[in-house]
């Protein structure tokens, strides 16, 4: 199919120079010591890598055959579809089927968390998937990511291939005599036994599932603490997957191509590769199964029966019907997948999405897949994506989640976890593998709030003129009875209970320069909802004063502060001096002053 499109670099004099230039640029950045041959392919001094470049004597695939098609000449980002809604052949060859692409990106995210030092790019998984199976045979997978038909390499019986006798009693490859590479990432059973992973959380490790296989391939490539951002480690990892320099160079070519950009295409619409490393050798019946079933044979047209009474059909009578040319059988078709039947998405009863910063959203986003008749479609993958200027994520810290619709056609996204950034954002749901309008949900994160504010102590807050208060004001904020952590608060010395203006006399706080301030903003409770205000000081004005503390959400607390001269020589607060000196008399405020 790729040859029909005329997009491969490996054939034709017109493309040889371009191929050589592209691979030469790649070899300069990715593979030291690699040169370019006359056909535009990378080579080294020998056909096999040096022993030091491989991890061990084996490989993930048992060194099975692979596809040798090189990337197309066209841009990696053509328009996926034309105006008629048909798939552009160049786009099909350059693009990656939606579910397959989703699997690669989920595997990258998982390895970023489990093995961050590996620096695994999803484009490397895409390059290997392209070379091993043509992206799962052009994306012929169901909603769970499992291939619609088996993808098996030739049996490794030593006849032109490696000799690997059966290790799984045919459990994975159906062959109880020899092993065969299995699935979209072409693992041999003996490797899958220890390398297999459950990438779609269905409780199974299935090499025929692209989510499982992509995650397993990621762990396999990262198993020796290699840093794949280092070109030497990258070479070692690829060679450990299939111990062939030609394989290495082909994968590197696709890796460089996908790094420049690619696009998503519908499942099942990808182009199938044309060239194989076994020189197009006819594959045994146990090798990769074609995604298109064989066309049925035409039914032979029966010969006309001679009319009664006319032996041999001689003489007058009705002429036999001319059978004409044999009827051409209709082209073979593949039954539509559930994804193919989806006409549109509907919001599934999702209400307004609102949560305070740091909280989990009470409502979860849900979408329903329907046919054009409004019937539910089960087993369809729905991708939910958090969009906008927000640090809100789904539970687990990811901004993208893919969920399969249930029997009612509904997919429910994981719970949203609000971040600290307040404001509006959106969650968008789309059908993986279909180019149909998605559904957007509006959401909002409000600042942390408290509905109750109380003092944590009950001691009277008193001070002598010119002194400092012995007690610091301690507070606790709650919301709905639970501690309200990280809630913004403001503390102000107000003029009176009815006048919130800042009082210019009486108690005060100090700023960093020691200057008096009577209003503090930017205060915040700790994780347990507790807040201790800075120490308070008094000027020479005596009397009763009010400290008002307010929080986001409307919680308010007013605290009385008393400034009075010491009685009987006993101070009620620290004096302006050492505490042994008598305080200065308060200024007279009477009419004779």
């Amino acid at each position: 199919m790729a040859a029909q499109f005329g997009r491969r670099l490996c054939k034709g004099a017109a493309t040889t120079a371009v191929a050589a230039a592209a691979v030469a640029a790649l070899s300069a950045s990715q593979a030291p010591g690699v040169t370019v041959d006359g056909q535009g392919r990378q080579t080294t001094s020998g056909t096999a890598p040096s022993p030091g470049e491989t991890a061990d004597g084996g490989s993930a695939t048992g060194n099975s055959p692979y596809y040798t098609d090189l990337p197309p000449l066209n841009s990696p980002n053509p328009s996926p579809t034309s105006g008629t809604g048909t798939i552009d052949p160049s786009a099909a060859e350059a693009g990656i089927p939606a579910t397959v692409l989703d699997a690669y990106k989920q595997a990258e995210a998982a390895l970023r968390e489990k093995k961050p030092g590996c620096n695994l790019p999803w484009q490397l998984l895409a390059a290997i998937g392209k070379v091993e199976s043509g992206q799962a045979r052009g994306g012929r997978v169901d909603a769970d990511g499992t291939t619609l038909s088996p993808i098996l390499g030739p049996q490794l019986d030593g006849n032109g291939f490696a000799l690997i006798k059966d290790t799984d009693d045919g459990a994975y490859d159906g062959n109880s005599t020899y092993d065969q590479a299995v699935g979209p990432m072409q693992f041999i059973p003996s490797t899958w036994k220890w390398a297999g992973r459950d990438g779609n959380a269905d409780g199974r490790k299935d090499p025929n599932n692209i989510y499982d296989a992509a995650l397993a391939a990621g762990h396999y490539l990262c198993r020796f603490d290699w840093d794949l951002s280092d070109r030497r480690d990258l070479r070692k990892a690829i060679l450990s997957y299939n111990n062939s320099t030609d394989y290495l160079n082909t994968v590197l070519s696709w890796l460089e191509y996908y790094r420049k950009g690619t696009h998503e295409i519908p499942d099942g619409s990808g182009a199938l590769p044309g060239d194989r490393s076994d020189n197009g050798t006819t594959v045994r019946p146990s090798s990769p199964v074609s995604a298109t079933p064989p066309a049925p044979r035409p039914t032979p047209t029966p010969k006309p029966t001679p009319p009664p009474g006319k032996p041999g059909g001689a003489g007058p009578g009705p002429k036999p019907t001319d059978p004409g040319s044999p009827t051409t059988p209709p082209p073979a078709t593949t039954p539509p997948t559930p994804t193919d039947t989806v006409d549109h998405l509907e919001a599934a009863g999702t209400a307004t999405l609102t949560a305070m910063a740091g909280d989990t959203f009470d409502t979860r986003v849900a979408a329903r897949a329907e046919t054009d008749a409004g019937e539910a479609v089960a087993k369809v993958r729905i991708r939910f994506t958090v969009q906008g200027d927000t640090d809100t994520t789904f539970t687990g810290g990811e901004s993208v989640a893919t969920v399969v619709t249930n029997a009612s056609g509904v997919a429910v996204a994981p719970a949203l976890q609000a971040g600290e950034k307040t404001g509006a954002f959106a969650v968008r749901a789309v059908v993986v593998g279909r180019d149909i309008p998605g559904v957007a949900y509006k959401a909002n994160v409000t600042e942390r709030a408290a509905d109750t504010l109380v003092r944590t102590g009950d001691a009277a807050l008193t001070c002598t003129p010119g002194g400092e208060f012995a007690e610091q004001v301690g507070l606790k904020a709650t919301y709905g009875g639970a501690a309200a952590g990280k809630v913004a608060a403001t503390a102000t010395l107000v003029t009176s209970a009815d006048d919130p203006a800042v009082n210019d006399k009486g108690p005060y706080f100090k700023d960093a320069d020691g200057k008096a301030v009577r209003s503090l903003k930017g205060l915040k409770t700790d994780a347990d909802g507790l807040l201790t205000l800075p120490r308070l000081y008094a000027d020479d004005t005596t009397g009763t004063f009010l400290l008002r503390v307010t929080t986001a959400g409307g919680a308010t607390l007013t605290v009385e502060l008393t400034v009075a001269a010491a009685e009987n020589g006993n101070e009620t607060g620290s004096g302006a001096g050492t505490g042994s000196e008598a305080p200065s008399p308060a200024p007279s405020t009477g009419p004779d002053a």
Side-chain angles (χ1 to χ4, degrees):
M1 182 178 296
Q4 296 171 352
F5 295 152
R7 301 291 180 181
R8 294 194 305 273
L9 302 179
C10 56
K11 298 289 180 72
T15 60
T16 301
V18 178
V23 179
L26 177 63
S27 65
S29 62
Q30 294 289 351
V34 176
T35 59
V36 181
D37 66 12
Q39 301 300 318
R41 296 185 183 276
Q42 296 173 333
T43 61
T44 61
S45 56
T47 59
S50 61
E53 290 184 308
T54 57
D56 50 38
S59 69
T61 67
N63 300 324
S64 295
Y66 55 90
Y67 290 105
T68 59
D69 299 57
L70 288 175
L73 282 169
N74 55 277
S75 164
N77 278 310
S79 174
T81 59
S82 65
T84 61
T86 57
I87 301 299
D88 177 12
S90 64
E93 186 168 1
I96 299 177
T99 298
V100 178
L101 179 60
D102 186 57
Y104 295 150
K105 291 186 175 181
Q106 285 201 28
E108 179 197 56
L111 268 297
R112 189 187 311 125
E113 177 182 353
K114 298 293 185 182
K115 297 184 178 181
C118 180
N119 293 307
L120 171 77
W122 66 260
Q123 292 91 340
L124 176 58
L125 297 176
I128 291 176
K130 180 70 174 182
V131 171
E132 292 295 348
S133 68
Q135 310 297 19
R137 290 290 193 180
R140 297 299 299 165
V141 296
D142 63 18
D144 294 321
T146 303
T147 58
L148 299 181
S149 58
I151 301 178
L152 298 173
Q155 65 179 16
L156 301 175
D157 57 6
N159 183 18
F161 309 112
L163 174 60
I164 304 178
K165 294 186 178 181
D166 175 65
T167 60
D168 65 332
D169 292 328
Y172 292 120
D173 54 14
N175 189 334
S176 58
T177 305
Y178 300 98
D179 271 352
Q180 297 173 241
V182 182
M185 302 303 278
Q186 289 289 276
F187 279 94
I188 55 174
S190 58
T191 302
W192 183 261
K193 185 175 181 180
W194 61 264
R197 294 292 192 280
D198 179 11
N200 62 349
D202 64 354
R204 301 174 60 237
K205 298 177 182 178
D206 183 2
N208 297 295
N209 182 279
I210 185 59
Y211 287 92
D212 294 358
L215 183 60
H219 277 278
Y220 185 92
L221 294 166
C222 293
R223 70 195 186 283
F224 287 123
D225 293 328
W226 284 322
D227 178 0
L228 301 186
S229 64
D230 179 274
R231 58 186 181 183
R232 292 187 179 276
D233 282 357
L234 176 66
R235 286 169 55 88
K236 291 177 183 178
I238 297 173
L239 288 169
S240 76
Y241 209 88
N242 191 315
N243 194 4
S244 160
T245 299
D246 287 338
Y247 179 87
L248 166 70
N249 297 332
T250 305
V251 170
L252 287 175
S253 297
W254 280 104
L255 170 61
E256 182 71 6
Y257 180 77
Y258 288 139
R259 276 177 167 164
K260 292 178 180 177
T262 185
H263 58 272
E264 178 183 292
I265 58 175
D267 289 344
S269 64
L272 298 181
D275 293 335
R276 287 168 54 90
S277 61
D278 53 355
N279 298 320
T281 302
T282 302
V283 204
R284 297 175 178 82
S286 58
S287 30
V289 178
S290 172
T292 304
R297 291 185 176 182
T299 304
T301 304
K303 295 181 179 180
T305 303
K310 301 287 184 178
K319 294 182 179 180
T321 302
D322 182 5
S325 302
T327 303
T328 303
T333 59
T334 302
T337 65
T339 302
D340 296 331
T341 67
V342 178
D343 176 74
H344 60 274
L345 274 182
E346 294 284 348
T350 303
T352 303
L353 302 169
T354 303
M356 284 197 305
D359 286 355
T360 301
F361 281 73
D362 293 331
T363 304
R364 294 168 65 178
V365 176
R368 174 181 160 94
E370 297 182 354
T371 66
D372 57 356
E375 298 177 348
V377 185
K379 296 184 178 181
V380 174
R381 300 193 77 84
I382 306 297
R383 182 187 300 126
F384 298 93
T385 305
V386 178
Q387 299 177 327
D389 184 17
T390 182
D391 55 356
T392 295
T393 63
F394 293 112
T395 304
E398 297 296 330
S399 59
V400 178
T402 305
V403 182
V404 178
T405 57
N406 58 22
S408 300
V410 176
V412 181
L416 286 165
Q417 178 66 44
E420 294 301 321
K421 186 173 292 186
T422 60
F425 67 96
V427 178
R428 184 169 180 80
V430 297
V431 179
V432 176
R434 290 296 307 279
D435 185 17
I436 59 177
V439 177
Y441 308 82
K442 295 181 179 180
N444 188 53
V445 176
T446 61
E447 64 179 327
R448 294 172 181 264
D451 56 18
T452 304
L453 192 62
V454 298
R455 278 190 66 192
T456 55
D458 56 5
L461 299 169
T462 61
C463 180
T464 57
E468 66 180 42
F469 286 79
E471 293 283 339
Q472 287 181 256
V473 179
L475 308 166
K476 181 168 184 177
T478 58
Y479 187 86
K486 300 181 181 179
V487 175
T490 300
T492 305
L493 279 306
V494 297
T495 302
S496 68
D498 299 324
D499 186 354
V502 178
N503 196 339
D504 60 356
K505 292 183 177 63
Y508 60 89
F509 301 105
K510 288 183 179 180
D511 64 12
D513 297 325
K515 296 181 179 180
V517 292
R518 290 183 168 87
S519 183
L520 295 178
K521 297 181 180 180
L523 303 173
K524 189 168 289 188
T525 62
D526 66 13
D528 297 320
L530 299 175
L531 172 64
T532 300
L533 298 182
R535 189 169 297 279
L536 280 159
Y537 301 86
D539 63 14
D540 292 336
T541 308
T542 60
T544 299
F545 302 89
L546 299 181
L547 169 65
R548 182 166 293 168
V549 183
T550 60
T551 68
T556 301
L557 176 66
T558 301
V559 180
E560 285 191 355
L561 305 173
T562 301
V563 179
E567 296 180 5
N568 300 323
N570 295 321
E571 298 185 12
T572 57
S574 299
T578 63
S580 60
E581 301 175 1
S584 303
S588 175
T589 59
D592 296 331

